[in-house]
């Protein structure tokens, strides 16, 4: 409960609504449609044999503790079953295996009948109704629909009037409809006007409410429920189809140890050598289970389950392992592709770097050559200037003016070269 559920798109109202507003009808049972009943587990078969002798004791203990007697009863039965010798446990295990084989045969026959189709139809209808009811949690603040004339009359004091007259609650609506017929024209007109006004106010409020995010989420949930997507849950499909599915050793050596010995939490108290032994047993059981599961996934039973889960839009049991193997292969391929891409990128970078360095070296050489040429030109210019100056001293004024103009033109032409050289030096 609380704001944390908002992360998953579940409104808090879903958990705070009155119980009557949520859909609490039980799902249809297969036995109600002439389907076979599931066999009792070994410990439940044992419970049937000792129930009578433990029941009275459990009731007295529960009364003293202030709890329900059935919880005390099952705890006592479980304790007795744990202490049972393996030879006696085998009797109940064999009974269960025989009943399980018979159940599988009966279930296969039942799936071919019209009763089974009817059962599926009822289950889907139930799940759709449940989802539609749960969708109302998204609109807790929606405007309430206006009452009908009959309900309005009851709300305006009619209920108290009928109760005072001794009308039973079950007969209230029938009596109210008779009272409505006895109303005068003015009374009926006033009642209808009140109902019409309430209806008009509701339509105005609902038109504004339709624009809110809460209403959009509600309509999305309704559409999903009516389309049937996700109406069959994973557990429904597993219970219907995976009858002969091999049972696994559990998720951890500790869980496997508890299932084999009946002692929860005892794995932590074992020595390191004993833990290692149970680890080996767990790994061997896991490998055996994977082999059995691989064989089972080839059966018609599992294929029919896959087909049903695909239609229902539910992830199939066992598909995770297959996808893991596939993902490992794809990961390896991706890694190799990435490695080859990286190596090719590195090689191309090296080539580009080398080419860049070579081009920079060539540019530097060209610049050096240009600088040398410029230096030589400057030296030539300086020599020419000195010669011209010596000549100018002996030349007439007109020639002096011409040589000065030439000199200034040369200086202007050499200016950009000098600026360029200065920039390079900087």
């Amino acid at each position: 409960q609380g704001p944390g559920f908002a992360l998953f798109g579940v409104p808090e109202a879903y958990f705070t609504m009155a119980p009557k507003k949520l859909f609490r009808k039980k799902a249809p049972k297969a036995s109600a449609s002439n389907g076979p009943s599931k066999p009792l587990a070994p410990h439940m078969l044992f419970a049937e044999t000792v129930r009578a002798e433990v029941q009275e004791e459990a009731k007295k203990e529960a009364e003293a503790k202030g709890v329900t007697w059935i919880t005390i009863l099952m705890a006592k039965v479980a304790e007795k079953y744990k202490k049972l010798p393996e030879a006696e446990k085998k009797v109940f295990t064999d009974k269960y295996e025989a009943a399980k084989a018979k159940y599988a045969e009966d279930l296969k026959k039942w799936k071919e009948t019209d009763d089974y189709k009817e059962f599926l139809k009822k289950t889907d209808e139930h799940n759709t109704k449940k989802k539609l009811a749960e969708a109302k949690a998204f609109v807790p603040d929606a405007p309430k629909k206006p009452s009908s004339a009959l309900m309005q009359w009851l709300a305006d004091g009619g209920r108290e009037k009928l109760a005072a007259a001794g009308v039973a609650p079950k007969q209230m609506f029938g009596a109210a409809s008779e009272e409505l017929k006895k109303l005068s024209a003015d009374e009926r007109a006033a009642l209808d006007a009140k109902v019409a006004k309430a209806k008009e106010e509701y339509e105005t409020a609902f038109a504004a409410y339709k624009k809110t995010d809460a209403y959009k989420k509600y309509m999305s949930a309704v559409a999903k429920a009516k389309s049937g997507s996700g109406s069959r849950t994973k557990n429904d499909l597993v219970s219907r189809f995976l009858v002969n599915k091999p049972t696994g050793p559990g998720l951890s050596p500790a869980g496997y140890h508890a299932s084999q010995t009946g002692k929860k939490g005892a794995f932590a108290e074992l020595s390191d050598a004993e833990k290692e032994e149970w680890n080996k047993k767990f790994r061997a059981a896991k490998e055996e289970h994977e082999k059995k599961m691989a064989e089972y996934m080839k059966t018609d039973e599992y294929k029919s389950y896959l087909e049903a889960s695909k239609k229902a839009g539910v992830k199939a049991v066992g598909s995770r392992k297959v996808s893991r193997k596939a993902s490992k292969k794809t990961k390896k391929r991706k890694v190799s592709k990435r490695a080859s891409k990286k190596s090719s990128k590195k090689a191309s970078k090296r080539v580009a770097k080398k080419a860049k360095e070579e081009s920079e070296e060539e540019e530097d050489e060209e610049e050096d050559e240009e600088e040398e040429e410029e230096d030589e030109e400057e030296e030539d210019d300086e020599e020419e200037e000195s010669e011209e100056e010596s000549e100018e001293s002996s030349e007439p004024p007109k020639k002096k003016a011409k040589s000065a103009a030439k000199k200034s033109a040369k200086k202007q032409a050499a200016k950009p070269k000098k600026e360029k050289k200065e920039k390079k030096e900087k």
Side-chain angles (χ1 to χ4, degrees):
Q1 292 184 9
F5 282 92
L7 294 170
F8 304 100
V10 181
E12 194 174 348
Y14 180 86
F15 304 97
T16 55
M17 285 173 74
K20 65 180 182 179
K21 287 191 176 182
L22 291 173
F23 192 73
R24 296 191 177 275
K25 284 186 180 179
K26 289 183 178 179
K29 292 184 178 180
S31 55
S33 300
N34 300 319
S37 298
K38 280 188 175 182
L40 291 173
H43 68 278
M44 292 304 293
L45 290 169
F46 170 74
E48 293 294 316
T49 61
V50 296
R51 187 186 180 100
E53 63 181 81
V54 182
Q55 190 166 324
E56 288 304 318
E57 189 185 340
K59 281 183 178 179
K60 286 177 185 176
E61 195 176 325
E63 195 175 340
K65 289 182 179 178
V67 294
T68 53
W69 65 271
I70 194 73
T71 53
I72 302 288
L73 174 74
M74 292 313 295
K76 286 186 175 295
V77 168
E79 195 178 340
K80 277 181 174 288
Y81 185 71
K82 283 176 187 177
K83 292 176 183 177
L84 210 64
E86 290 298 324
E88 291 182 37
K89 276 185 183 178
K90 194 175 183 302
V91 174
F92 298 106
T93 308
D94 291 344
K95 280 184 181 178
Y96 169 70
E97 291 297 334
K100 188 180 174 182
K102 188 179 181 301
Y103 171 71
E105 288 176 13
D106 294 343
L107 186 67
K108 196 174 182 180
K109 289 175 184 176
W110 180 58
K111 283 179 181 178
E112 295 170 0
T113 62
D114 293 332
D115 290 331
Y116 177 68
K117 290 175 184 175
E118 189 64 29
F119 167 72
L120 287 180
K121 190 179 176 183
K122 284 178 182 177
T123 305
D124 288 342
E125 284 173 3
H126 166 82
N127 289 330
T128 302
K129 284 178 183 176
K130 186 180 178 182
K131 285 196 173 288
L132 285 170
E134 288 171 354
K136 288 181 182 176
F138 288 100
V139 283
D141 303 322
K144 290 183 179 179
K145 285 186 178 182
S147 303
S148 62
L150 181 104
M151 294 302 292
Q152 190 63 50
W153 183 82
L154 285 169
D156 290 345
R159 195 181 295 277
E160 289 79 7
K161 183 182 175 183
L162 293 173
V167 178
K170 287 184 179 180
Q171 298 168 347
M172 195 72 75
F173 291 109
S177 63
E178 290 299 321
E179 289 292 325
L180 280 179
K181 290 173 185 176
K182 294 175 186 177
L183 292 175
S184 64
D186 291 340
E187 288 174 332
R188 181 70 202 211
L191 181 66
D192 288 341
K194 196 173 185 180
V195 171
K197 188 183 177 184
K199 189 179 179 182
E200 192 178 334
E201 287 173 357
Y202 166 76
E203 285 173 354
T204 307
F206 193 70
Y209 189 73
K210 269 185 173 181
K211 296 172 184 176
T212 61
D213 292 334
Y215 183 76
K216 287 171 185 174
K217 283 182 180 179
Y218 167 71
M219 290 308 294
S220 169
V222 168
K224 193 176 179 182
K226 285 183 176 178
S227 67
S229 58
S231 60
R232 293 181 194 171
T233 62
K234 190 173 184 177
N235 290 334
D236 290 337
L237 293 166
V238 168
S239 61
R240 281 187 217 167
F241 292 95
L242 303 184
V243 181
N244 297 309
K245 180 180 166 284
T247 308
L251 297 173
S252 65
Y256 180 63
H257 176 266
S259 66
Q260 294 297 307
T261 59
K263 297 174 184 176
K264 282 188 177 180
F267 185 79
E269 297 170 7
L270 297 176
S271 65
D272 291 339
E274 287 173 323
K275 281 181 181 178
E276 186 56 38
E277 191 180 337
W278 276 102
N279 283 336
K280 285 177 183 177
K281 285 181 181 179
F282 173 71
R283 284 195 290 270
K286 200 173 181 181
E287 284 173 13
E288 185 64 28
H289 171 68
E290 284 175 1
K291 285 176 186 176
K292 286 180 180 178
M293 197 64 193
E295 290 296 320
Y296 175 72
M297 286 167 79
K298 295 173 186 176
T299 60
D300 294 332
E301 182 179 289
Y302 185 77
K303 286 173 184 174
S304 60
Y305 163 72
L306 277 180
E307 194 178 336
S309 61
K310 193 176 179 182
K311 283 180 183 176
V314 175
K315 194 173 182 180
V317 172
S319 61
R320 192 179 171 191
K321 289 177 183 177
V322 175
S323 62
R324 272 181 183 171
K325 287 178 183 177
S327 64
K328 279 181 183 177
K329 286 180 181 177
T330 52
K331 275 180 184 176
K332 282 181 182 177
R333 285 174 192 161
K334 283 178 182 177
V335 167
S336 62
K337 280 182 181 178
R338 281 174 196 160
S340 62
K341 278 181 181 178
K342 279 182 182 178
S343 61
S344 61
K345 279 181 181 178
K346 282 179 181 177
S348 60
K349 279 180 181 178
R350 281 198 295 269
V351 170
K353 195 177 180 182
K354 200 173 181 182
K356 194 178 180 183
E357 286 172 358
E358 286 174 359
S359 63
E360 284 174 358
E361 284 175 5
E362 286 174 4
E363 284 174 7
D364 291 339
E365 285 174 3
E366 285 174 4
E367 285 173 2
D368 293 340
E369 286 173 4
E370 284 176 5
E371 284 174 4
E372 286 173 3
E373 286 174 3
E374 284 169 5
D375 291 339
E376 287 174 2
E377 284 176 5
E378 282 177 4
E379 287 173 2
D380 293 341
D381 292 340
E382 284 173 3
E383 285 176 5
E384 284 175 6
E385 281 174 9
S386 60
E387 285 174 5
E388 283 170 0
E389 282 173 3
S390 60
E391 285 172 5
E392 279 173 9
S393 57
S394 59
E395 279 179 359
K398 283 184 180 179
K399 282 186 177 181
K400 278 183 182 179
K402 282 181 182 180
S403 63
K406 277 183 183 180
K407 196 175 180 182
S408 63
K410 278 183 181 180
K411 279 183 181 178
Q412 287 293 328
K415 199 175 183 180
K417 287 182 180 179
K418 278 185 179 180
E419 285 175 359
K420 193 178 178 183
K421 190 179 178 182
E422 283 171 5
K423 278 183 184 178
K424 280 180 184 178
E425 284 172 356
K426 282 178 184 178

